[in-house]
Structures are given as C-alpha cells and as structure tokens.
Amino acid sequence: ILSTICFLFVPYSCGFLGSIEVDETMKAADGVYAAGDIARFPFDGSSVRVEHWIVAQNQGYISFIQR
C-alpha cells in the first residue's frame, strides 16, 4: 500500500520501503506534506523514519506552522 501511495502522489520522493522523503518542514513536494509512519525526515545528518504516534502528532504540527 505504501508504495502505491508513494507512486500516486509523489513518485520522485519515494524512499526506503515506500516511505516519502520530506524536508524539515515535512514538505514532500509543492502542496504535499507527509507525516507519521510514511514520512522519512532529516535528523542529525541522516534520513530517518519513526513509527510512533507522538512523533506523527508533532510532525503534523510542524507542517502546519511552517506553511
């Protein structure tokens, strides 16, 4: 399912295991933001994905305030 979502919405941003690469504002592409399990974001010089509800909640907030 993740790879299908990735292909349909942001095919040029697909990463490891169908994750979506985002920047520090959770932006994957113009007008497209990703948060939660599907989002791979920059952290400490690397790109990481965290599967935890509190992280997803904070990522949603980050994408909202950055717009």
Side-chain angles (χ1 to χ4, degrees):
I1 292 175
L2 289 179
S3 59
T4 302
I5 292 170
C6 199
F7 174 75
L8 290 175
F9 294 102
V10 282
Y12 43 85
S13 297
C14 292
F16 182 69
L17 295 177
S19 61
I20 297 175
E21 296 287 338
V22 297
D23 64 12
E24 63 279 352
T25 66
M26 307 311 296
K27 183 177 177 180
D30 288 338
V32 178
Y33 292 81
D37 296 350
I38 199 167
R40 181 169 286 282
F41 57 95
F43 179 76
D44 199 25
S46 186
S47 180
V48 299
R49 198 176 119 232
V50 178
E51 298 178 9
H52 195 279
W53 69 269
I54 197 76
V55 173
Q57 184 179 32
N58 288 331
Q59 289 172 337
Y61 177 74
I62 289 167
S63 66
F64 174 75
I65 63 171
Q66 297 296 325
R67 296 182 329 135

Coordinates of all heavy atoms in Angstrom, one line a residue:
I1 N 0.8 -1.2 0.0 CA 0.0 0.0 0.0 C 0.9 1.3 0.0 O 0.6 2.2 -0.7 CB -1.0 0.0 1.2 CG1 -2.0 -1.1 1.0 CG2 -1.6 1.3 1.3 CD1 -2.9 -1.3 2.2
L2 N 1.9 1.3 0.8 CA 2.8 2.5 0.9 C 3.4 2.8 -0.5 O 3.4 4.0 -0.8 CB 3.9 2.3 1.9 CG 3.5 2.3 3.4 CD1 4.7 2.0 4.3 CD2 2.8 3.6 3.8
S3 N 3.9 1.8 -1.2 CA 4.5 2.1 -2.5 C 3.5 2.6 -3.5 O 3.8 3.4 -4.3 CB 5.2 0.8 -3.0 OG 4.3 -0.2 -3.2
T4 N 2.2 2.1 -3.4 CA 1.2 2.7 -4.3 C 0.9 4.1 -3.9 O 0.8 5.0 -4.8 CB -0.1 1.8 -4.1 OG1 0.2 0.5 -4.4 CG2 -1.2 2.4 -5.0
I5 N 0.8 4.4 -2.7 CA 0.5 5.8 -2.3 C 1.7 6.7 -2.7 O 1.5 7.8 -3.3 CB 0.4 5.9 -0.7 CG1 -0.9 5.3 -0.3 CG2 0.4 7.4 -0.3 CD1 -1.0 5.1 1.2
C6 N 2.9 6.2 -2.5 CA 4.1 6.9 -2.9 C 4.1 7.2 -4.4 O 4.3 8.3 -4.9 CB 5.3 6.1 -2.5 SG 6.8 7.1 -2.4
F7 N 3.8 6.2 -5.2 CA 3.7 6.3 -6.7 C 2.7 7.3 -7.1 O 2.9 8.1 -8.0 CB 3.5 4.9 -7.3 CG 3.3 5.0 -8.8 CD1 4.4 5.2 -9.6 CD2 2.1 4.9 -9.4 CE1 4.3 5.3 -11.0 CE2 1.9 5.0 -10.8 CZ 3.0 5.2 -11.6
L8 N 1.5 7.2 -6.5 CA 0.4 8.1 -7.0 C 0.6 9.5 -6.6 O 0.2 10.4 -7.4 CB -0.9 7.6 -6.3 CG -1.4 6.3 -6.8 CD1 -2.7 5.8 -6.0 CD2 -1.8 6.3 -8.3
F9 N 1.2 9.8 -5.5 CA 1.2 11.2 -5.0 C 2.6 11.9 -5.2 O 2.6 13.0 -5.6 CB 0.8 11.3 -3.6 CG -0.6 10.9 -3.4 CD1 -1.0 9.7 -2.9 CD2 -1.6 11.8 -3.7 CE1 -2.3 9.3 -2.7 CE2 -3.0 11.4 -3.6 CZ -3.3 10.2 -3.1
V10 N 3.6 11.3 -4.9 CA 5.0 11.9 -5.0 C 6.0 10.9 -5.5 O 6.9 10.5 -4.8 CB 5.4 12.5 -3.7 CG1 4.8 13.9 -3.5 CG2 5.2 11.6 -2.5
P11 N 5.9 10.5 -6.8 CA 6.8 9.4 -7.3 C 8.3 9.7 -7.2 O 9.1 8.9 -7.1 CB 6.3 9.2 -8.7 CG 5.6 10.4 -9.1 CD 5.0 11.0 -7.8
Y12 N 8.6 11.0 -7.2 CA 10.0 11.4 -7.2 C 10.6 11.5 -5.8 O 11.7 11.8 -5.6 CB 10.2 12.7 -8.0 CG 9.1 13.7 -7.6 CD1 9.2 14.5 -6.5 CD2 8.0 13.8 -8.4 CE1 8.2 15.4 -6.1 CE2 7.0 14.7 -8.1 CZ 7.1 15.5 -6.9 OH 6.1 16.4 -6.6
S13 N 9.8 11.3 -4.8 CA 10.2 11.4 -3.4 C 10.2 10.1 -2.7 O 10.4 10.1 -1.5 CB 9.3 12.4 -2.7 OG 9.4 13.7 -3.2
C14 N 9.9 9.0 -3.4 CA 9.8 7.7 -2.7 C 11.2 7.3 -2.2 O 12.2 7.4 -2.9 CB 9.3 6.6 -3.7 SG 7.6 6.9 -4.1
G15 N 11.2 6.7 -1.0 CA 12.4 6.3 -0.4 C 12.4 4.8 0.0 O 11.6 4.1 -0.5
F16 N 13.1 4.5 1.0 CA 13.2 3.1 1.5 C 11.9 2.6 2.0 O 11.1 3.2 2.7 CB 14.2 3.1 2.7 CG 14.5 1.8 3.3 CD1 15.1 0.8 2.6 CD2 14.0 1.5 4.5 CE1 15.4 -0.4 3.1 CE2 14.2 0.3 5.1 CZ 14.9 -0.7 4.4
L17 N 11.5 1.4 1.5 CA 10.3 0.7 1.9 C 9.0 1.6 1.6 O 8.0 1.5 2.3 CB 10.3 0.3 3.3 CG 11.3 -0.8 3.7 CD1 11.3 -1.0 5.2 CD2 11.1 -2.1 3.0
G18 N 9.1 2.3 0.5 CA 7.9 3.1 0.2 C 7.7 4.4 1.0 O 6.6 5.0 0.9
S19 N 8.6 4.8 1.8 CA 8.5 6.0 2.6 C 8.6 7.2 1.7 O 9.1 7.1 0.5 CB 9.5 6.0 3.7 OG 10.8 6.0 3.1
I20 N 8.1 8.3 2.2 CA 8.2 9.6 1.4 C 9.2 10.5 2.0 O 9.1 10.8 3.2 CB 6.8 10.2 1.4 CG1 5.8 9.3 0.7 CG2 6.9 11.6 0.7 CD1 4.4 9.8 0.7
E21 N 10.2 10.9 1.2 CA 11.2 11.8 1.7 C 10.6 13.2 1.9 O 10.0 13.7 1.0 CB 12.4 11.9 0.7 CG 13.1 10.6 0.5 CD 14.0 10.2 1.7 OE1 14.4 11.1 2.5 OE2 14.3 9.0 1.9
V22 N 10.8 13.8 3.0 CA 10.3 15.2 3.3 C 11.5 16.0 3.8 O 12.5 15.5 4.2 CB 9.2 15.1 4.4 CG1 8.0 14.4 3.8 CG2 9.6 14.6 5.7
D23 N 11.3 17.3 3.8 CA 12.3 18.2 4.3 C 12.0 18.5 5.8 O 11.1 17.9 6.4 CB 12.4 19.5 3.5 CG 11.2 20.4 3.5 OD1 10.2 20.1 4.3 OD2 11.1 21.3 2.7
E24 N 12.7 19.5 6.4 CA 12.5 19.8 7.8 C 11.1 20.4 8.1 O 10.7 20.4 9.3 CB 13.6 20.7 8.3 CG 13.6 22.1 7.6 CD 14.3 22.1 6.3 OE1 14.9 21.1 5.9 OE2 14.2 23.1 5.6
T25 N 10.4 20.8 7.1 CA 9.0 21.3 7.3 C 8.0 20.2 7.0 O 6.8 20.5 7.0 CB 8.7 22.5 6.4 OG1 8.7 22.2 5.1 CG2 9.8 23.6 6.7
M26 N 8.4 19.0 6.7 CA 7.5 17.8 6.4 C 7.0 17.9 5.0 O 6.1 17.2 4.6 CB 6.4 17.6 7.4 CG 6.9 17.6 8.9 SD 8.2 16.4 9.1 CE 7.5 14.9 8.7
K27 N 7.6 18.8 4.2 CA 7.1 19.0 2.8 C 7.8 18.0 1.9 O 9.0 17.9 1.8 CB 7.5 20.4 2.3 CG 7.0 20.8 1.0 CD 7.3 22.2 0.7 CE 6.9 22.6 -0.7 NZ 7.2 24.0 -1.0
A28 N 6.9 17.3 1.1 CA 7.4 16.3 0.1 C 7.5 16.9 -1.3 O 8.4 16.5 -2.0 CB 6.5 15.1 0.1
A29 N 6.6 17.8 -1.6 CA 6.5 18.5 -2.9 C 5.7 19.7 -2.7 O 5.0 19.9 -1.7 CB 6.0 17.5 -3.9
D30 N 5.6 20.5 -3.7 CA 4.7 21.7 -3.6 C 3.3 21.3 -3.3 O 2.7 20.5 -4.0 CB 4.8 22.5 -4.9 CG 6.1 23.2 -5.2 OD1 6.8 23.4 -4.2 OD2 6.4 23.5 -6.3
G31 N 2.8 21.8 -2.2 CA 1.5 21.5 -1.7 C 1.2 20.1 -1.2 O 0.1 19.7 -0.9
V32 N 2.3 19.3 -1.0 CA 2.2 17.9 -0.5 C 3.1 17.8 0.8 O 4.3 18.0 0.7 CB 2.6 16.9 -1.5 CG1 2.5 15.5 -0.9 CG2 1.8 17.0 -2.8
Y33 N 2.4 17.4 1.9 CA 3.1 17.2 3.1 C 2.8 15.8 3.6 O 1.8 15.2 3.3 CB 2.6 18.2 4.2 CG 3.0 19.6 3.9 CD1 2.3 20.4 3.0 CD2 4.1 20.2 4.5 CE1 2.7 21.7 2.7 CE2 4.5 21.5 4.2 CZ 3.8 22.2 3.3 OH 4.2 23.5 3.0
A34 N 3.8 15.2 4.3 CA 3.6 13.8 4.8 C 4.1 13.8 6.3 O 5.0 14.5 6.7 CB 4.5 12.9 4.0
A35 N 3.4 13.0 7.1 CA 3.7 12.9 8.5 C 3.4 11.5 8.9 O 2.6 10.8 8.3 CB 2.9 13.9 9.3
G36 N 4.0 11.1 10.0 CA 3.7 9.7 10.5 C 4.6 8.7 10.0 O 5.7 8.9 9.5
D37 N 4.1 7.4 10.0 CA 5.0 6.3 9.6 C 5.5 6.4 8.2 O 6.6 5.8 7.9 CB 4.1 5.0 9.7 CG 3.7 4.7 11.1 OD1 4.2 5.3 12.0 OD2 2.9 3.7 11.2
I38 N 4.8 7.0 7.3 CA 5.3 7.1 5.9 C 6.4 8.1 5.6 O 7.1 8.0 4.7 CB 4.1 7.3 5.0 CG1 4.4 7.0 3.5 CG2 3.6 8.8 5.1 CD1 3.2 6.9 2.6
A39 N 6.5 9.1 6.5 CA 7.5 10.2 6.3 C 8.9 9.8 6.8 O 9.1 9.4 7.9 CB 7.0 11.4 7.1
R40 N 9.9 10.1 5.9 CA 11.3 9.9 6.2 C 11.9 11.3 6.2 O 11.8 12.0 5.2 CB 12.0 9.1 5.2 CG 13.5 8.8 5.4 CD 14.1 7.8 4.5 NE 13.6 6.4 4.9 CZ 14.1 5.7 5.9 NH1 15.1 6.3 6.7 NH2 13.7 4.5 6.2
F41 N 12.4 11.8 7.4 CA 12.8 13.2 7.5 C 14.2 13.3 7.9 O 14.8 12.4 8.5 CB 11.9 13.8 8.6 CG 11.9 13.2 9.9 CD1 12.7 13.6 10.9 CD2 11.0 12.1 10.1 CE1 12.7 13.0 12.1 CE2 11.0 11.5 11.4 CZ 11.8 11.9 12.4
P42 N 14.8 14.5 7.7 CA 16.2 14.7 8.1 C 16.4 14.8 9.6 O 15.6 15.5 10.3 CB 16.6 16.0 7.4 CG 15.3 16.7 7.1 CD 14.3 15.7 7.0
F43 N 17.4 14.1 10.1 CA 17.7 14.1 11.5 C 19.1 13.8 11.8 O 19.6 12.7 11.4 CB 16.8 13.1 12.3 CG 17.1 13.1 13.8 CD1 16.6 14.1 14.6 CD2 17.8 12.1 14.3 CE1 16.9 14.1 15.9 CE2 18.1 12.1 15.7 CZ 17.6 13.1 16.5
D44 N 19.9 14.7 12.4 CA 21.3 14.5 12.7 C 22.1 14.0 11.6 O 22.9 13.1 11.7 CB 21.3 13.5 13.9 CG 22.6 13.6 14.7 OD1 23.3 14.7 14.6 OD2 23.0 12.6 15.3
G45 N 21.9 14.7 10.4 CA 22.8 14.4 9.2 C 22.3 13.1 8.5 O 23.0 12.7 7.6
S46 N 21.2 12.5 8.9 CA 20.7 11.3 8.2 C 19.3 11.5 7.9 O 18.7 12.5 8.2 CB 21.0 10.1 9.1 OG 20.6 8.9 8.5
S47 N 18.7 10.5 7.3 CA 17.3 10.5 7.0 C 16.6 9.3 7.8 O 17.1 8.2 7.6 CB 17.1 10.3 5.5 OG 15.7 10.3 5.1
V48 N 15.6 9.6 8.6 CA 15.1 8.6 9.5 C 13.5 8.6 9.3 O 12.9 9.5 8.9 CB 15.4 8.9 10.9 CG1 16.9 8.8 11.1 CG2 14.9 10.2 11.4
R49 N 13.0 7.5 9.8 CA 11.6 7.3 9.8 C 11.2 6.7 11.2 O 11.9 5.7 11.6 CB 11.1 6.3 8.8 CG 9.7 6.3 8.4 CD 9.4 5.4 7.3 NE 8.5 4.4 7.8 CZ 8.6 3.1 7.7 NH1 9.7 2.6 7.1 NH2 7.8 2.3 8.2
V50 N 10.3 7.3 11.9 CA 10.0 6.9 13.3 C 8.5 6.4 13.3 O 7.6 7.2 13.0 CB 10.2 8.0 14.3 CG1 9.9 7.5 15.7 CG2 11.7 8.4 14.3
E51 N 8.3 5.2 13.8 CA 6.9 4.7 13.9 C 6.4 4.9 15.3 O 6.4 3.9 16.1 CB 6.9 3.3 13.4 CG 7.3 3.1 12.0 CD 7.3 1.7 11.5 OE1 6.8 0.8 12.3 OE2 7.8 1.4 10.4
H52 N 5.9 6.0 15.7 CA 5.3 6.3 17.0 C 4.3 7.4 16.9 O 4.6 8.4 16.2 CB 6.5 6.7 18.0 CG 6.0 6.6 19.4 ND1 5.3 7.6 20.0 CD2 6.2 5.6 20.3 CE1 5.0 7.2 21.3 NE2 5.5 6.0 21.5
W53 N 3.2 7.3 17.6 CA 2.1 8.2 17.4 C 2.5 9.6 17.9 O 2.1 10.6 17.3 CB 0.9 7.8 18.1 CG 1.0 7.8 19.6 CD1 1.4 6.8 20.4 CD2 0.7 8.9 20.5 NE1 1.4 7.1 21.8 CE2 0.9 8.4 21.8 CE3 0.2 10.2 20.3 CZ2 0.7 9.3 22.9 CZ3 0.0 11.0 21.4 CH2 0.3 10.5 22.7
I54 N 3.3 9.8 18.9 CA 3.7 11.1 19.3 C 4.5 11.9 18.3 O 4.4 13.1 18.1 CB 4.4 11.1 20.7 CG1 4.4 12.5 21.4 CG2 5.8 10.6 20.6 CD1 3.1 12.9 22.0
V55 N 5.4 11.1 17.6 CA 6.2 11.7 16.5 C 5.3 12.2 15.4 O 5.4 13.3 14.9 CB 7.3 10.7 16.0 CG1 8.0 11.3 14.8 CG2 8.2 10.4 17.1
A56 N 4.3 11.3 15.0 CA 3.4 11.7 14.0 C 2.6 13.0 14.4 O 2.3 13.8 13.5 CB 2.4 10.6 13.7
Q57 N 2.2 13.0 15.6 CA 1.4 14.2 16.1 C 2.3 15.5 16.0 O 1.8 16.5 15.5 CB 1.0 14.0 17.5 CG 0.2 15.1 18.1 CD -0.2 14.7 19.6 OE1 0.5 14.1 20.3 NE2 -1.4 15.2 20.0
N58 N 3.5 15.4 16.4 CA 4.4 16.5 16.3 C 4.7 16.9 14.8 O 4.8 18.1 14.5 CB 5.7 16.2 17.1 CG 5.5 16.2 18.5 OD1 4.6 16.9 19.1 ND2 6.3 15.5 19.2
Q59 N 4.8 15.9 14.0 CA 5.1 16.2 12.6 C 3.9 17.0 11.9 O 4.1 17.9 11.1 CB 5.4 14.9 11.8 CG 6.7 14.3 12.1 CD 6.9 12.9 11.5 OE1 5.9 12.2 11.2 NE2 8.1 12.5 11.4
G60 N 2.7 16.6 12.3 CA 1.5 17.3 11.8 C 1.6 18.8 12.2 O 1.3 19.7 11.4
Y61 N 1.9 19.0 13.5 CA 2.0 20.4 14.0 C 3.1 21.1 13.2 O 2.9 22.3 12.9 CB 2.3 20.3 15.5 CG 2.5 21.7 16.1 CD1 1.4 22.6 16.3 CD2 3.8 22.2 16.4 CE1 1.6 23.8 16.8 CE2 4.0 23.4 17.0 CZ 2.9 24.3 17.1 OH 3.1 25.5 17.6
I62 N 4.3 20.5 13.0 CA 5.4 21.2 12.3 C 5.0 21.6 10.9 O 5.2 22.7 10.5 CB 6.6 20.2 12.3 CG1 7.3 20.1 13.6 CG2 7.7 20.7 11.3 CD1 8.3 19.0 13.8
S63 N 4.3 20.7 10.2 CA 3.9 21.0 8.8 C 2.9 22.1 8.8 O 2.9 23.0 7.9 CB 3.3 19.8 8.1 OG 2.1 19.3 8.7
F64 N 2.0 22.2 9.8 CA 1.0 23.3 9.9 C 1.7 24.6 10.2 O 1.3 25.6 9.5 CB 0.0 22.9 11.0 CG -1.0 24.1 11.2 CD1 -2.0 24.3 10.3 CD2 -0.9 24.9 12.3 CE1 -2.9 25.3 10.5 CE2 -1.8 25.9 12.5 CZ -2.8 26.1 11.6
I65 N 2.6 24.7 11.1 CA 3.1 26.0 11.4 C 4.1 26.5 10.4 O 4.4 27.7 10.3 CB 3.8 26.0 12.8 CG1 5.0 25.1 12.9 CG2 2.8 25.7 13.9 CD1 5.8 25.2 14.2
Q66 N 4.7 25.6 9.6 CA 5.6 26.0 8.6 C 5.0 26.6 7.3 O 5.7 27.1 6.4 CB 6.6 24.9 8.2 CG 7.4 24.4 9.4 CD 8.4 25.4 9.9 OE1 8.9 26.2 9.1 NE2 8.6 25.5 11.2
R67 N 3.7 26.3 7.1 CA 3.1 26.7 5.8 C 2.9 28.2 5.7 O 2.8 29.0 6.5 CB 1.7 26.0 5.7 CG 1.9 24.5 5.6 CD 0.6 23.7 5.4 NE -0.6 24.3 6.0 CZ -1.7 24.4 5.4 NH1 -1.9 23.9 4.2 NH2 -2.8 24.9 5.9

